[in-house]
Structure formats: C-alpha cells, structure tokens
Amino acid sequence: MGDVLAGIHAAWEFESDALVIRFERGIRTPKLYQVLRERRVPYEALASVTLTPGKRGTVVLHAVPRPGADPLMEAAAGQLKEGSDPYRLVLPTDRETLAEYYRDELRALLPPEPEAAGAAGHGAGGPYDGLDALDGHGGPDGHGGLGGPDRGGVLDALGGAEDPYGAGGAVAPAERFLVAPPSGPLSFKAYDGKASFDGRAEVSFRWFWTGASSEKWKAGDQTFSVRDLCGIEWRSPDVFDGHLRLLARDGGPRPTQPDHDPASVVFGLGYGLVHESLPFAAAVLAAIRSSDRAPVPVGSRTPGAVAERIRHLGELHRAGLVTDEEFSTKKAELLAEL
C-alpha cells in the first residue's frame, strides 16, 4: 500500500502507478460518491493537480483528468456540481502543509507536459499556473509552491462554466479511456421509462404509460445494440430539459425534442437522478468505445429480444395505438433483424 491522505468524504491512496480514490458511504457523503465507492486513476490519466482555498476553513486538492481519459467525466461534459466532482479532495486548513506536500509529490508523478504547453504561455509549472495572477492570493506562489487556483474557480469568477479538462487544450487528449467505467447501477427510472444496460451489448428503454409521449408508445419499447451507437448525450437532471439520448452511428434524422425521440429518456423532478443516470451513461459510453475496437459479430438482435418487441407491438396494435399498416411494416422490420 502507498501513502494515504484522508479528507472529507474521501481518501486518496498513492500507489506506484495510480491514484486510488475511496469514497465514504456516510449519510452526509454526496450520493454520487457512494455509488462510485472506489476509483483507480492511473497517473497517465491526469493532466494536472492544484491546491486552492475551499469553503469554511478548508482547502481543496484537485486532480484534473485528461480529456478522453475518464468515461464518467466525458459523459458529464462539465455539468457536475463542484461538490460532486470525484476528483476533488476537501481537507481542513490545518492540513494545508500536508496537502501541499502531496500536491507536489503527485505532480512529480504526472506525465511531462507537451512542449506546446510552455509555448502557449503556461510555463513549466503546469497548465494552470499562468492563471495565478487572477487569484488575488499574492502571485504564483500563493500556497508556498506551484499551487494556484484551479481553472474552474477562475472561470466561475469571470462568469464562465467550469472546465474540468485543463487550459485551452494544452494537455494532449487520451487516445482511449484509462479509467474504468462505473460498474453500476445498470438501470434507472426516468420520468417516461426505465433504462437498462446489460453491461456489454444492449441498452433498452421500457416506457411508462404515465409519462411516455404518444410517439414513444407508437414506437414501442426500444432495444439498442451498442454496436449501432456512436455516443451518448447526457443532460443533467439538475437542469430543465434533462435527458439521456443514445446517438445512432448512422447519423440519421431524429426528433429535436428528446420527449419525442424513442432513443432517449427524459428526466424530471425525482427521476433520473445524477447518481443514478450519470454512472449509467458512463458505462454505456465506455462500451461504445470498446465496441469500436472489437470484431463485428454476425447478427445484432437475439430471437428473444425480437419476440418481445413483436409482442409489445401487438399490444399497441390491439389497443388501437398502431394502425394495421404500421403494425405490418414494423413487424417485418423486426423479423429482418434476425
């Protein structure tokens, strides 16, 4: 085991090749942390580390992942609230000196910055050091070393959104995911349906009659092969129009509103919560990226899945929600998938 730095709601363990983040499961711990439990982050997956003043007598040690390295942060796309960022370790101010030590130790373990970063004005200290003049803590040595404010704090002060990936593209994106996706949950309830993922090959949406639109009812419950997808679109349940949408590889036309799109589920108050839907989105995204590198199998649907779709289509037909012509056409399409 390596050294361990314990903070509020989490602890960091420094192994020879990776940072292991373990989260508490107490009642006051953010729910996303409780779901994630533990994450192993190779040092090559990190772009930078900063130390900044926190709230109410705390300091924050912040490890910043490289773009493209962590499926969770890729799916979040900068929408996570500060208190739910799994790469932030909050410590009491009386441990600031210790935090400075581990910040410097961690920086020494990170891959070297590309030369372009220095040429862009970021200097040898990392992509965030050039922002220290905006902090108001007395210059680039505000914490007794290289620790300036993280970029998210500066952008917040200027009225912008937090960018968890670094300064202006100075850090080279990862060619593949370096951090393992969350192992669960693999299902959650949205406002208009239940989303499920088998962990490898298929995503399915089963509609709720209390919330699904007529367009989704007519389309019927949906099953998507991961191989037919090129990505996901996650909009946080914390904002209006929150949803999870699957993006088809063929790039065909789709409804503008997620509420009318059978390839999406929409969130609402108390439905599709961040700690349920974001790990789901990250797991699906990781599977999509993995499928890009795997051989293509023969056939994309199992007979059982097709039979279930036809059964549901028949129920809609008998209920008068699908015309005879629509029923015949859709049934033929499903049989063709076998």
Side-chain angles (χ1 to χ4, degrees):
M1 288 183 60
D3 291 351
V4 176
L5 179 62
I8 300 173
H9 302 318
W12 287 8
E13 180 179 346
F14 301 88
E15 295 186 346
S16 60
D17 61 343
L19 171 66
V20 179
I21 305 174
R22 295 188 175 91
F23 302 102
E24 294 179 357
R25 301 190 66 186
I27 191 172
R28 296 182 181 275
T29 304
K31 291 184 178 180
L32 180 61
Y33 290 4
Q34 296 183 46
V35 170
L36 296 177
R37 297 188 182 183
E38 178 178 314
R39 310 204 78 210
R40 191 174 190 277
V41 184
Y43 294 128
E44 64 176 320
L46 296 177
S48 181
V49 58
T50 62
L51 181 64
T52 62
K55 300 176 181 178
R56 294 185 291 274
T58 62
V59 292
V60 178
L61 198 57
H62 187 198
V64 182
R66 290 169 60 190
D70 184 349
L72 185 83
M73 303 306 284
E74 287 292 300
Q79 298 174 76
L80 276 180
K81 292 182 178 179
E82 189 176 73
S84 296
D85 186 339
Y87 286 89
R88 297 173 77 253
L89 183 67
V90 181
L91 301 143
T93 50
D94 59 9
R95 307 193 74 188
E96 182 174 0
T97 301
L98 186 62
E100 288 176 349
Y101 168 79
Y102 280 107
R103 176 204 62 199
D104 295 340
E105 289 292 305
L106 185 54
R107 279 180 168 176
L109 296 170
L110 300 186
E113 298 265 349
E115 292 183 5
H122 300 304
Y128 295 97
D129 295 336
L131 299 171
D132 289 341
L134 298 174
D135 182 30
H137 289 289
D141 296 325
H143 291 289
L146 298 176
D150 64 5
R151 187 168 182 251
V154 173
L155 289 179
D156 287 343
L158 296 177
E162 181 176 357
D163 177 4
Y165 292 141
V171 178
E175 296 182 356
R176 58 183 177 85
F177 287 140
L178 301 172
V179 182
S183 57
L186 297 178
S187 66
F188 69 90
K189 291 182 179 180
Y191 174 72
D192 59 355
K194 180 179 180 180
S196 301
F197 177 44
D198 66 4
R200 183 181 60 86
E202 287 190 344
V203 182
S204 62
F205 295 156
R206 189 171 185 86
W207 308 123
F208 297 152
W209 70 271
T210 53
S213 63
S214 59
E215 290 84 358
K216 291 183 177 181
W217 272 112
K218 287 185 178 182
D221 292 344
Q222 299 291 299
T223 300
F224 302 89
S225 170
V226 166
R227 293 191 177 280
D228 296 335
L229 305 175
C230 66
I232 60 98
E233 178 182 274
W234 182 79
R235 292 292 178 267
S236 174
D238 291 336
V239 299
F240 179 75
D241 194 34
H243 63 270
L244 184 147
R245 192 197 303 254
L246 303 176
L247 305 179
R249 194 176 295 276
D250 60 18
R254 66 186 187 196
T256 302
Q257 297 181 6
D259 184 45
H260 298 162
D261 186 358
S264 68
V265 290
V266 298
F267 305 144
L269 185 61
Y271 298 91
L273 299 170
V274 169
H275 67 279
E276 297 176 337
S277 61
L278 179 57
F280 181 99
V284 172
L285 181 60
I288 292 171
R289 297 285 177 86
S290 296
S291 73
D292 290 341
R293 297 178 171 83
V296 178
V298 178
S300 60
R301 293 279 194 267
T302 63
V306 172
E308 176 64 20
R309 293 282 302 280
I310 293 176
R311 181 197 64 77
H312 184 71
L313 185 65
E315 292 177 355
L316 295 176
H317 182 233
R318 288 190 295 273
L321 297 174
V322 175
T323 65
D324 293 342
E325 182 181 355
E326 289 172 334
F327 174 75
S328 299
T329 301
K330 190 65 177 179
K331 182 179 178 181
E333 292 176 358
L334 291 170
L335 290 173
E337 294 179 3
L338 291 175

